[in-house]
Amino acid sequence: MNQSIVMKYFKELSAIPRASFNEKAASDYVVAFAKERNLKYIQDAMNNVIVFKDATPGYENVPTLMLQSHLDMVAEKNKDSDHNFDTDPIELIEKDGWLFANKTTLGADDGVGVVYMLAILDELENHPALECVFTVEEETGLTGADFIDLSMLESTLCIGLDGSGESETYISSSGGVRGLITKDLTYDKQESASVKIAIRGLLGGHSGGEIDKERGNANKIAGIILRRALKEQDIRLVSIDGGLKVNAIPRESDFEIAVSDTASFLTWFEGIEKELKTQFEFSDSGLNFITQVSSVDQVLSKEDSDAIINLLAFLPYGMIQRSFAIEDLVITSANIGTVDIVDGQLKIQVSLRATQSFVIENLMDQVQYLSESLGFSISYSSKYPGWNYDVNSKFRPHLLKVYKELRKSDMDVVATHGGLELGIWKDKLPNLDIVSFGPIMEDIHTPDERLNIASFNSTYEFLKTLVSSLNELN
């Protein structure tokens, strides 16, 4: 069986390390692709790339089309993986019709969008003028999209290729902001018995797409355990490390506490473990704990230990508000993405999402008040707008018509709680008429991420049909 052109390009892209902040090689790959085909391109200071291609005969008067995807990927791996995202290619595995990676994220988000655009530029025979925008640092706050200059673009139509589901098209997306909570720590010299607790087995997931599924957040669970222990026993926090990415629900967390009596603590913890497993019995049934008795010669000061414990226990996590206008749409949420201690400083990264800026600002105030009340500093960055439903879109009805003609079934119209670059494009190019879709992918932002190969290929065929049909757009 011949390999599809999109699979060929996906394998080439997967050989290039492209975690967020390390996209230069992937950006250069796109530039080399453009040079080989004598296509005009722009590569900016952040390594965003725009590739231009003229309209084919008969499409000169069709509105210019922007295709959009992001080059970077979430770099998350299992604790037992030695993969180096800075240097190693993604190890691809094909099994039972799915493509996934070996104990790491796959990068289908948004590698599929990137290779769709390369394939369109390479082989599509009938198309309007194309402006293909490849951005960087999408997964870390949409900063590439925020930075890029689009003033030279002529596009009035846009296909966002950072979607999933194949039979779904997005009609709106959430806005969001990221927070960094910090505190310089002090330690006390104290020889003590200690207990290490490892939280394992959680599903994790995308903090936009899976935040409503009641999945356990390893950092939040650590906070609950520590707060319960603090109320009943004399403990001091020694260390804590949980989560890998701010926009992924953390699957694992490790912490160590000094205790006066390890046997008594472990007996007490058996009850807490049972309660937590009951809490997540149906939504995250793989939750498990690994305990180890040890010893330490220094602990965090009581003030800092208590402050960290209380902050983790009371920071908001999960779905906060659901829409009554659109079924199953989360409109406000919070995620505690990462917790670690680096060079004597605690760092906690949080991701806050809401469709309204007003609501995000209220949530920001809540997190800031809590953090500062406990002696932490907080800064916010990477704030991005939502993409609001466009009631006057002409492109969306055309998309739905083409899909039904090709597939003999209706395409679902959905809103997403995820943050998309489409809100930034609409802000920069107010006349842009936007649609968005992508193939079937599951468990993105986790090492279980997988791409349905048949859907990957068939969605590309639909994309080609849609682009070539734009001479019929009324």
Side-chain angles (χ1 to χ4, degrees):
M1 181 176 179
N2 292 331
Q3 177 178 250
S4 68
I5 186 172
V6 287
M7 184 61 78
K8 167 183 174 292
Y9 281 131
F10 190 82
K11 289 181 177 180
E12 289 182 8
L13 186 65
S14 298
I16 304 170
R18 55 187 179 90
S20 301
F21 306 113
N22 187 35
E23 307 99 334
K24 180 65 165 63
S27 176
D28 289 345
Y29 168 76
V30 174
V31 168
F33 173 95
K35 286 181 176 179
E36 289 171 3
R37 291 156 182 78
N38 296 314
L39 298 175
K40 178 185 173 183
Y41 71 89
I42 297 171
Q43 184 180 39
D44 68 18
M46 278 193 72
N47 293 310
N48 295 301
V49 180
I50 306 175
V51 179
F52 302 84
K53 190 171 186 180
D54 292 338
T56 56
Y59 286 76
E60 297 88 347
N61 296 323
V62 177
T64 299
L65 173 66
M66 172 180 168
L67 297 175
Q68 176 268 322
S69 64
H70 61 86
L71 291 165
D72 62 319
M73 62 174 283
V74 167
E76 186 164 349
K77 62 183 181 179
N78 288 335
K79 289 278 187 181
D80 61 350
S81 169
D82 60 1
H83 184 90
N84 186 333
F85 281 102
D86 291 334
T87 58
D88 296 344
I90 298 297
E91 184 181 342
L92 301 178
I93 300 171
E94 294 184 39
K95 184 178 180 181
D96 299 329
W98 293 86
L99 186 69
F100 54 99
N102 184 17
K103 298 182 180 180
T104 73
T105 39
L106 174 63
D109 175 17
D110 184 26
V112 295
V114 172
V115 302
Y116 281 172
M117 290 159 62
L118 296 177
I120 290 289
L121 287 166
D122 198 18
E123 72 165 3
L124 192 62
E125 296 180 354
N126 300 302
H127 60 78
L130 300 175
E131 296 173 334
C132 295
V133 179
F134 303 82
T135 58
V136 298
E137 297 181 23
E138 190 271 352
E139 299 290 5
T140 53
L142 286 66
T143 46
D146 188 54
F147 177 86
I148 195 171
D149 179 11
L150 301 184
S151 62
M152 79 295 293
L153 298 193
E154 298 179 355
S155 293
T156 55
L157 301 175
C158 173
I159 301 176
L161 294 169
D162 189 16
S164 63
E166 185 172 1
S167 62
E168 298 176 346
T169 180
Y170 293 144
I171 57 173
S172 68
S173 63
S174 180
V177 69
R178 298 179 178 205
L180 175 62
I181 303 168
T182 60
K183 183 177 177 62
D184 292 327
L185 303 175
T186 57
Y187 290 83
D188 293 337
K189 291 291 184 181
Q190 176 180 311
E191 293 188 359
S192 174
S194 68
V195 175
K196 297 178 180 179
I197 297 180
I199 300 171
R200 296 290 185 270
L202 294 169
L203 292 168
H206 190 295
S207 63
E210 278 79 42
I211 202 71
D212 63 332
K213 293 180 170 56
E214 300 296 337
R215 294 181 178 179
N217 178 307
N219 292 328
K220 188 65 176 178
I221 291 171
I224 292 168
I225 295 169
L226 289 166
R227 172 67 183 173
R228 284 276 185 165
L230 182 64
K231 289 172 65 178
E232 299 188 26
Q233 304 193 28
D234 180 20
I235 67 166
R236 290 281 191 92
L237 190 61
V238 176
S239 64
I240 186 164
D241 177 18
L244 294 173
K245 297 294 175 183
V246 65
N247 56 351
I249 301 170
R251 298 151 52 100
E252 301 178 349
S253 177
D254 297 90
F255 62 90
E256 183 175 10
I257 51 175
V259 298
S260 57
D261 184 338
T262 56
S264 174
F265 177 85
L266 290 173
T267 299
W268 169 85
F269 182 68
E270 289 177 0
I272 297 298
E273 179 177 3
K274 181 179 179 181
E275 292 289 354
L276 286 166
K277 287 185 175 181
T278 298
Q279 179 179 348
F280 294 101
E281 180 179 3
F282 301 106
S283 63
D284 221 332
S285 60
L287 172 63
N288 67 82
F289 303 91
I290 302 168
T291 59
Q292 179 185 346
V293 173
S294 186
S295 62
V296 295
D297 57 12
Q298 72 170 11
V299 298
L300 284 169
S301 69
K302 179 169 177 52
E303 178 185 354
D304 287 349
S305 178
D306 289 359
I308 294 169
I309 291 170
N310 287 322
L311 183 63
L312 287 176
F314 297 119
L315 273 173
Y317 163 70
M319 181 182 70
I320 296 171
Q321 188 178 11
R322 187 188 295 276
S323 172
F324 274 72
I326 300 175
E327 187 176 359
D328 296 328
L329 176 64
V330 179
I331 57 177
T332 310
S333 74
N335 184 51
I336 310 168
T338 67
V339 180
D340 57 4
I341 297 173
V342 180
D343 297 328
Q345 184 183 62
L346 178 84
K347 295 183 177 182
I348 299 176
Q349 294 186 92
V350 297
S351 172
L352 312 177
R353 300 175 190 262
T355 52
Q356 277 182 270
S357 292
F358 174 80
V359 176
I360 288 181
E361 289 163 5
N362 291 337
L363 193 54
M364 289 168 66
D365 282 346
Q366 177 185 341
V367 173
Q368 181 172 348
Y369 179 82
L370 175 63
S371 301
E372 292 178 349
S373 296
L374 291 169
F376 295 83
S377 298
I378 183 168
S379 60
Y380 288 108
S381 63
S382 303
K383 189 176 182 183
Y384 55 90
W387 167 41
N388 293 321
Y389 176 72
D390 182 1
V391 68
N392 297 313
S393 171
K394 294 182 178 179
F395 197 3
R396 186 174 60 251
H398 181 75
L399 165 79
L400 300 177
K401 173 177 173 288
V402 172
Y403 183 89
K404 186 161 188 176
E405 289 175 350
L406 184 67
R407 300 290 181 84
K408 311 305 179 187
S409 61
D410 291 326
M411 195 175 211
D412 294 328
V413 176
V414 298
T416 177
H417 188 56
L420 298 175
E421 292 169 312
L422 304 178
I424 295 177
W425 306 145
K426 189 68 174 178
D427 191 53
K428 293 188 176 191
L429 301 171
N431 294 324
L432 205 59
D433 195 347
I434 302 171
V435 299
S436 175
F437 57 87
I440 295 172
M441 297 181 281
E442 296 182 356
D443 291 323
I444 63 173
H445 293 194
T446 81
D448 294 327
E449 179 184 7
R450 54 199 176 276
L451 170 65
N452 184 283
I453 296 172
S455 177
F456 179 41
N457 291 321
S458 62
T459 300
Y460 174 62
E461 294 301 318
F462 170 65
L463 174 63
K464 289 195 297 182
T465 302
L466 177 64
V467 173
S468 294
S469 75
L470 291 177
N471 59 342
E472 303 169 4
L473 179 63
N474 296 321

